[in-house]
Amino acid sequence: MKWKRHESYLEILPPKEFDFKECLVFLGRSSQEVLHQIKAGSVYKLLKIKDETILLKISGSSPSILIEFPIQFPSSNTYEEIAEYIWEWFDFDQDLNGFYQAASKDEMLQSLIAKYKGLRVIGIPDLFEALTWAIIGQQINLGFAYTLKKRFVEQFGESLTFEGDTYWLYPSYEKIAQIRVEELRGLQFTRRKAEYIIGVARAMANGKLTKASLLQQKEYQPIKKSLMAIRGVGAWTADYVMMKCLQIPDAFPIADAGLHQALKLQLGLKQKPAIEEINVIAANWENWRAYATFYLWRSLYESNK
DNA sequence: ATCCAGGAACTGT
DNA sequence: ACAGTTCATGGA
């Protein structure tokens, strides 16, 4: 991880294969997003580290990323954790040359990379957020998923208002561990989703589920198995979390409806491909299937709202 | 109206 | 192990 602390800002020095503007497109994909805002090419995001709540203004200043602090500066031992969060969020540990090389054998990926070069898997470093956001999104359209997330965040998260804009933190598992199913039903969560989400919160509050213990397992299958042992987490959610939170570049949510739609459009198919066909299509994506998926998702919001 | 959404658990065989 | 059903709601 490379970063420098300056007098009034923090500078992150990303790897060469990175395009801040491409990542901004992803971050701006939903007008209903509540966990960050984009204004004049900068991303504003509230972050809580230990007991410090800090507003970040994140800007691209090629080749660096600059982090400013519109409200107040963090305490000096918090800078490193902020840099770490940003590093993880933009997945800077991956060397995308591997992906670009793997894609040289695949015409479709090559064309996506030509369009979106420098796009990285924008992650969800917080395990509770990653798991519950995935659960929220199960089997509903993305627009409604964002509606539910907004209600959830605005009901149970902390917020801070600065110069007329309100910034939100995702609800903590400590808080959600204490609520009742009915409170989520009132926000139009299904009963089952409410149970899953509260269950995840309680497992984390008990210390039975942590990001560190998942990552300790190193290998793909054991991690996936541990995730799928959680009620509400099937193969799709496990792969989604491995991709977005555990930064496993080969995680592959093969049953994903968006992936199927993107493949159909990119390959000009008459209908969406079956799982067996996707395995054939993805034969050359080895080690980079999360990136292939992410670039395919990107292709779906060419003209988004 | 009917089908599908960035699925998963449950039930019956 | 496998297939069919249920959950619940919004959008096209």
Side-chain angles (χ1 to χ4, degrees), chain A residues 17-19 22-26 90 96 99-100 116-122 291 294-295 298 301:
Chain A
E17 297 72 27
F18 169 63
D19 184 338
E22 263 310 325
C23 294
L24 264 190
V25 174
F26 173 80
F90 291 100
L96 289 202
F99 176 47
Y100 297 154
Y116 313 131
K117 197 161 192 190
L119 174 66
R120 287 174 172 270
V121 170
I122 310 295
Y291 265 85
F294 200 72
Y295 274 56
R298 169 65 182 83
Y301 43 88

Side-chain angles (χ1 to χ4, degrees), chain A residues 100-286:
Chain A
Y100 297 154
Q101 235 163 45
S104 65
K105 291 174 275 181
D106 188 306
E107 210 174 306
M108 183 200 70
L109 280 189
Q110 271 191 301
S111 83
L112 292 176
I113 288 167
K115 287 184 197 164
Y116 313 131
K117 197 161 192 190
L119 174 66
R120 287 174 172 270
V121 170
I122 310 295
I124 304 177
D126 179 73
L127 179 63
F128 180 62
E129 181 187 336
L131 269 168
T132 52
W133 167 234
I135 290 168
I136 288 171
Q138 289 170 2
Q139 189 56 22
I140 56 175
N141 65 70
L142 215 44
F144 185 46
Y146 275 106
T147 301
L148 290 178
K149 171 170 144 181
K150 186 166 191 286
R151 289 176 187 160
F152 182 61
V153 169
E154 293 181 350
Q155 181 75 43
F156 300 109
E158 294 176 44
S159 72
L160 184 155
T161 300
F162 175 68
E163 291 183 347
D165 288 307
T166 300
Y167 303 92
W168 291 92
L169 290 171
Y170 200 75
S172 69
Y173 57 79
E174 290 93 340
K175 169 95 177 170
I176 303 306
Q178 293 175 15
I179 69 172
R180 290 172 305 114
V181 167
E182 287 68 29
E183 295 180 72
L184 290 175
R185 282 290 297 134
L187 306 182
Q188 282 183 294
F189 285 61
T190 63
R191 176 163 298 277
R192 265 199 269 215
K193 277 187 189 179
E195 289 168 4
Y196 299 161
I197 287 167
I198 293 170
V200 167
R202 291 186 177 161
M204 292 189 73
N206 292 335
K208 288 177 186 161
L209 173 60
T210 65
K211 188 171 174 179
S213 65
L214 288 171
L215 284 171
Q216 212 163 19
Q217 301 183 68
K218 310 283 183 205
E219 309 222 355
Y220 190 100
Q221 286 306 330
I223 295 175
K224 186 164 176 175
K225 206 175 156 189
S226 300
L227 283 166
M228 288 180 66
I230 302 164
R231 185 161 178 264
V233 178
W236 177 84
T237 303
D239 277 309
Y240 182 87
V241 169
M242 287 192 286
M243 168 182 177
K244 299 276 286 185
C245 183
L246 306 181
Q247 297 179 283
I248 299 172
D250 199 34
F252 192 29
I254 193 167
D256 182 77
L259 172 71
H260 301 172
Q261 175 66 10
L263 283 172
K264 180 186 159 192
L265 293 173
Q266 290 302 312
L267 299 172
L269 308 175
K270 285 181 183 166
Q271 49 188 2
K272 297 204 285 188
I275 299 295
E276 312 82 64
E277 300 175 276
I278 297 173
N279 276 317
V280 176
I281 294 166
N284 292 325
W285 304 356
E286 202 166 337

